[in-house]
Amino acid sequence: MRNILVTNALPYANGPIHMGHLLGYIQADIWVRAMRAMGHDVTYVCADDAHGTAIMLRAEANGISPEDQIANVQKEHIRDFDGFGVHFDHYDSTNSDENKARSSEIYIKNREAGNIAIRPVNQLFDPEKGMFLSDRFIKGTCPKCKSEDQYGDACEVCGTTYNATELLNPKSTLSGATPVEKSSDHYFFKLPNFSEYLQKWTRDQGRLPVSIANKLDEWFEAGLSDWDISRDAPYFGFEIPDAPNKYFYVWVDAPIGYMSSFENYIKTKRPDLSFDDFWKKDSDKEVYHFIGKDIVYFHALFWPAMLEGANYRTPSGLFVNGFLTVNGQKMSKSRGTFIKAETYLEHLNPEYLRYYFASKLSDKVEDSDLNLDDFVQKVNSDLVGKVVNIASRCAKFINTKFDNKLSVTCAEPELVQSFIDAGDSIAKAYEAREFSAAIREIMALADKANQYIDEKKPWALAKVEGEEQQVHDVCSVGINLFRQLAVYLAPVLPTLAAQVQEFLKLDCFDFASAQTALVDHEIALFQPLMQRVDPKAVAAMVDASKDSLAAATEAPKVEKKKEKKASTKPEPKVGEAEIIGIEDFMKVDLRVAEVLEAATVEGSDKLLQLTLNVGEAEPRNVFSGIREFYQPEDLKGKLVVMVANLAPRKMRFGISNGMVLAAGNGEGVWVISPESGAKAGDKVS
């Protein structure tokens, strides 16, 4: 038996759970249930990520305290997770005494080890709110083109990027006050101290997906930088020890919340467990984090470095999932595909979604698509048409003709044994997080079971005098095959499994319990187990998810596209650009990209080499001919817009995988930046 601690990425305590979140939580819950079904001792904990400026401001806007804000959201999160069968052993908050103590301890140990630096940072300060302002809370006049109402990092009109201190006539968006430039000491974690250690750690076999380890190599090649771990008051979070009015940045105490949640679980529910047994340096226990690919950097670099610096063990592995699209596109409020967990539960059985996600998931860091038409077809075909159908076809004969009892012997021992033997490969697929492979094998067995029943035709035999025993035997075999399928599906469909366990009157429903056939065994009266997905319910869910204002503003755009599609394509005149149809234009995939690194290209006076985060598992390498107008330091850390679906172009300096958009007027070139609030990977429309 293995002793395993499993955590999920912590949901932020200022908004609801939606379908995109659920992908990772359902994946983790299935794995936890599968490992328990194999006989392992698994503890599963999570918590709300409860700190930061955003939560402080949200609470202020709602007229309540931050503590009340996070308490209200936590209730909603727990409700939604319970609704989808995601059952944590303990669900905590990062705003706990245990997390405060553990965060301080880890910080002090790193400080004593020489891993903390202090140096001044210049920022804009709101004298009315009494707080330093991040770029998104500042607006002013662009220092280059003089356009007004621009954010503190880039001009949306001319594309120039700048520091907030360069804005003309800056104003705080929080108070309207004119901010002043002010210096403040910030605290930094010396991540470069761990460069050699992390390069080895990320390459330890099984620790990270290979694609993620390859991505991190680019960070090592560029050189790691110190990490700013402090924020100035006012800030909702934990004060840094011996540093009045300085607070830990939210990403310091958030992962430590894994430790404090487990610590709280031990105190309140499992005193037989030991915190040190799992977190001491030489622990032989296993610790796994299920996370999204957008937070790999924090979990694969900062988190293990902090733990190593404080002399704690590091995670056994990071299990990384991709993003979720709906109907092949990014979730959209106007299309009704930005679906909250609460909205889904008002219309559909949560086990439908658990099954559909499982049928898509593997150990690869790949995005998943929730195609709603395919969703309806797959659930109805697989779960209702194949699996549940077996029980409904056989149980009625056992209930009505044979006093609810199965045959005293198994009429098809080889067939039943083949289903039992399949459990080994199915269990291995679950353990490897190859859920889609497990589902394929289970559904192949379901086809085999239905084929057996179709061949034997118990409904026809029941009409033939003297064939009662044959009917009894066939239906008993069918119930045994159904039992095996339900056991194998239990990690994915826990509610259905509990219903089947009650129907079959079984004390245990783990993998080991299904090693022998059920003979001379009493069952209960069969009750319908699962209804077909009603497409009308799916449509109602989508309709309930639509943002009516966004839908109204987008409707005219659809009509314009139709008009252009019907119009003839004019020939371009001399000096004019060639006119293309809307069909061609719609093929262009524009994405927001974060410039992770920028460098000059040796041997070229025109090119800059950019490393771009486009929200994918690995960053993109792009060469851009903007060196005459931009220096590398002008772009690093900025958001740009890129064409993401260009074929890779081989250049003598390397492969360019995309194109950064820029505009020029003959006198200069300006890189196009997205509006404030965008993030890497967002689709530009």
Side-chain angles (χ1 to χ4, degrees):
M1 181 179 70
R2 294 158 59 183
N3 294 285
I4 304 170
L5 172 61
V6 174
T7 76
N8 260 125
L10 312 185
Y12 202 41
N14 73 336
I17 302 299
H18 57 67
M19 296 293 99
H21 294 135
L22 284 170
L23 181 68
Y25 296 105
I26 288 175
Q27 181 186 35
D29 184 80
I30 291 172
W31 194 76
V32 167
R33 291 177 185 273
M35 297 302 285
R36 286 173 176 164
M38 297 175 212
H40 303 302
D41 186 357
V42 185
T43 301
Y44 185 28
V45 301
C46 193
D48 268 353
D49 183 1
H51 290 154
T53 303
I55 286 175
M56 180 181 71
L57 295 174
R58 174 64 66 88
E60 181 180 318
N62 291 337
I64 58 177
S65 69
E67 290 80 6
D68 287 341
Q69 168 71 25
I70 62 178
N72 293 341
V73 172
Q74 186 177 46
K75 290 177 184 177
E76 295 173 359
H77 286 178
I78 292 173
R79 175 203 65 199
D80 292 343
F81 287 135
D82 284 347
F84 279 90
V86 178
H87 287 170
F88 302 104
D89 293 306
H90 185 70
Y91 193 84
D92 215 301
S93 167
T94 57
N95 191 47
S96 68
D97 292 339
E98 288 78 9
N99 196 26
K100 182 177 182 179
R102 195 66 64 180
S103 298
S104 296
E105 175 207 0
I106 289 175
Y107 167 78
I108 290 171
K109 285 183 176 179
N110 275 289
R111 184 181 67 187
E112 292 174 347
N115 298 323
I116 303 297
I118 306 173
R119 57 177 179 267
V121 173
N122 286 335
Q123 294 175 274
L124 290 183
F125 182 83
D126 184 329
E128 289 191 15
K129 295 289 290 186
M131 63 183 293
F132 285 95
L133 300 171
S134 61
D135 292 341
R136 62 176 171 158
F137 297 135
I138 307 165
K139 279 192 171 183
T141 301
C142 171
K144 186 171 184 66
C145 74
K146 305 303 186 290
S147 295
E148 298 180 352
D149 202 33
Q150 301 304 308
Y151 282 101
D153 56 353
C155 176
E156 298 175 354
V157 177
C158 71
T160 298
T161 57
Y162 40 70
N163 293 322
T165 53
E166 298 177 73
L167 268 180
L168 305 177
N169 304 314
K171 297 290 182 182
S172 166
T173 62
L174 301 179
S175 69
T178 300
V180 296
E181 190 171 343
K182 194 173 180 180
S183 178
S184 172
D185 284 342
H186 275 230
Y187 289 66
F188 292 82
F189 180 77
K190 296 181 180 179
L191 190 62
N193 288 2
F194 299 88
S195 181
E196 184 176 345
Y197 168 79
L198 290 171
Q199 287 184 65
K200 181 180 182 303
W201 187 87
T202 56
R203 284 296 179 181
D204 282 352
Q205 187 172 6
R207 184 91 69 180
L208 298 173
V210 174
S211 62
I212 297 298
N214 291 339
K215 174 184 178 180
L216 293 171
D217 276 347
E218 298 187 16
W219 290 91
F220 295 129
E221 291 170 6
L224 300 179
S225 302
D226 287 355
W227 176 36
D228 190 341
I229 62 169
S230 70
R231 294 295 184 268
D232 291 281
Y235 188 83
F236 183 59
F238 295 141
E239 198 169 49
I240 298 176
D242 309 314
N245 294 319
K246 304 291 182 180
Y247 290 80
F248 286 125
Y249 173 46
V250 62
W251 267 108
V252 174
D253 60 76
I256 298 173
Y258 300 143
M259 303 172 81
S260 62
S261 182
F262 180 59
E263 190 173 10
N264 257 326
Y265 175 59
I266 294 172
K267 288 181 179 180
T268 57
K269 301 173 185 175
R270 285 289 301 272
D272 57 304
L273 293 178
S274 165
F275 180 88
D276 289 339
D277 281 354
F278 277 83
W279 289 101
K280 64 184 179 181
K281 187 76 169 178
D282 58 348
S283 173
D284 61 351
K285 306 296 190 290
E286 300 171 59
V287 177
Y288 298 102
H289 301 316
F290 280 80
I291 63 171
K293 66 182 181 180
D294 55 326
I295 54 175
V296 163
Y297 188 82
F298 293 101
H299 283 80
L301 295 179
F302 298 136
W303 177 227
M306 283 198 302
L307 290 170
E308 174 66 14
N311 201 36
Y312 279 113
R313 64 89 50 79
T314 55
S316 309
L318 302 180
F319 298 152
V320 184
N321 63 270
F323 298 135
L324 179 72
T325 56
V326 179
N327 292 337
Q329 295 180 299
K330 183 179 177 181
M331 293 187 297
S332 163
K333 291 182 179 180
S334 64
R335 291 190 296 270
T337 56
F338 189 94
I339 304 167
K340 295 190 296 184
E342 179 183 17
T343 306
Y344 178 101
L345 291 171
E346 290 171 353
H347 295 86
L348 295 168
N349 183 339
E351 300 225 314
Y352 297 159
L353 189 70
R354 288 180 65 100
Y355 178 76
Y356 191 78
F357 279 169
S359 73
K360 295 280 188 177
L361 286 165
S362 71
D363 67 338
K364 305 295 189 298
V365 187
E366 298 174 335
D367 293 346
S368 298
D369 183 54
L370 170 58
N371 181 287
L372 294 175
D373 290 337
D374 182 52
F375 167 79
V376 173
Q377 189 278 329
K378 181 177 286 292
V379 171
N380 288 344
S381 173
D382 289 3
L383 296 185
V384 181
K386 294 181 181 180
V387 177
V388 172
N389 188 48
I390 297 169
S392 63
R393 297 171 87 184
C394 297
K396 64 180 180 180
F397 292 108
I398 303 296
N399 290 149
T400 60
K401 294 181 176 294
F402 305 107
D403 198 25
N404 302 321
K405 273 218 171 177
L406 304 180
S407 295
V408 296
T409 59
C410 180
E412 299 284 350
E414 292 184 0
L415 176 61
V416 174
Q417 189 60 46
S418 71
F419 275 54
I420 294 173
D421 292 343
D424 289 339
S425 60
I426 292 171
K428 288 178 181 177
Y430 274 127
E431 182 176 357
R433 304 180 321 285
E434 291 283 359
F435 298 162
S436 58
I439 294 299
R440 285 195 298 273
E441 187 164 358
I442 293 168
M443 286 305 122
L445 293 175
D447 287 336
K448 193 174 180 181
N450 279 293
Q451 183 180 3
Y452 167 77
I453 296 169
D454 288 340
E455 290 175 352
K456 297 297 183 180
K457 296 181 174 58
W459 56 88
L461 290 172
K463 298 176 182 178
V464 180
E465 187 176 349
E467 293 293 342
E468 290 83 1
Q469 187 59 50
Q470 178 81 336
V471 173
H472 197 186
D473 289 344
V474 169
C475 290
S476 296
V477 169
I479 293 297
N480 267 282
L481 301 181
F482 171 71
R483 178 257 197 128
Q484 295 298 140
L485 297 175
V487 166
Y488 298 150
L489 284 169
V492 179
L493 307 172
T495 301
L496 177 68
Q499 293 171 332
V500 174
Q501 185 177 354
E502 183 178 356
F503 160 58
L504 296 179
K505 295 187 175 182
L506 294 172
D507 295 330
C508 188
F509 217 64
D510 61 17
F511 287 4
S513 71
Q515 293 299 302
T516 57
L518 298 175
V519 293
D520 197 25
H521 179 82
E522 184 179 355
I523 65 173
L525 287 175
F526 179 76
Q527 301 292 333
L529 295 171
M530 184 173 284
Q531 302 299 319
R532 295 176 65 84
V533 184
D534 185 350
K536 292 181 180 178
V538 176
M541 175 187 68
V542 171
D543 189 59
S545 301
K546 285 182 179 178
D547 183 323
S548 58
L549 177 62
T553 58
E554 286 196 6
K557 296 181 182 179
V558 176
E559 295 303 316
K560 288 181 180 179
K561 290 177 183 177
K562 290 181 179 178
E563 289 171 10
K564 287 189 176 182
K565 182 176 180 180
S567 64
T568 58
K569 180 180 177 182
E571 292 293 326
K573 299 176 182 179
V574 177
E576 291 184 339
E578 181 182 359
I579 297 174
I580 64 172
I582 189 66
E583 299 88 355
D584 292 325
F585 180 77
M586 292 299 293
K587 294 176 183 178
V588 179
D589 184 10
L590 299 180
R591 299 276 174 173
V592 175
E594 178 188 7
V595 181
L596 302 178
E597 296 292 339
T600 58
V601 177
E602 186 174 353
S604 172
D605 58 359
K606 294 183 178 180
L607 295 177
L608 286 180
Q609 183 174 7
L610 307 177
T611 302
L612 303 177
N613 170 20
V614 198
E616 300 170 338
E618 298 182 12
R620 300 278 195 104
N621 180 75
V622 172
F623 292 97
S624 182
I626 55 176
R627 182 173 173 180
E628 181 181 353
F629 306 96
Y630 288 91
Q631 295 302 310
E633 58 268 26
D634 297 331
L635 296 174
K636 188 174 179 181
K638 302 299 182 183
L639 295 179
V640 299
V641 176
M642 72 169 293
V643 180
N645 60 340
L646 282 180
R649 180 186 177 192
K650 186 175 182 181
M651 307 174 70
R652 67 186 180 96
F653 308 105
I655 301 294
S656 185
N657 196 4
M659 181 176 71
V660 172
L661 295 188
N665 62 0
E667 298 178 358
V669 167
W670 299 275
V671 170
I672 296 174
S673 298
E675 65 181 18
S676 178
K679 62 181 183 300
D682 283 352
K683 189 176 180 63
V684 179
S685 57

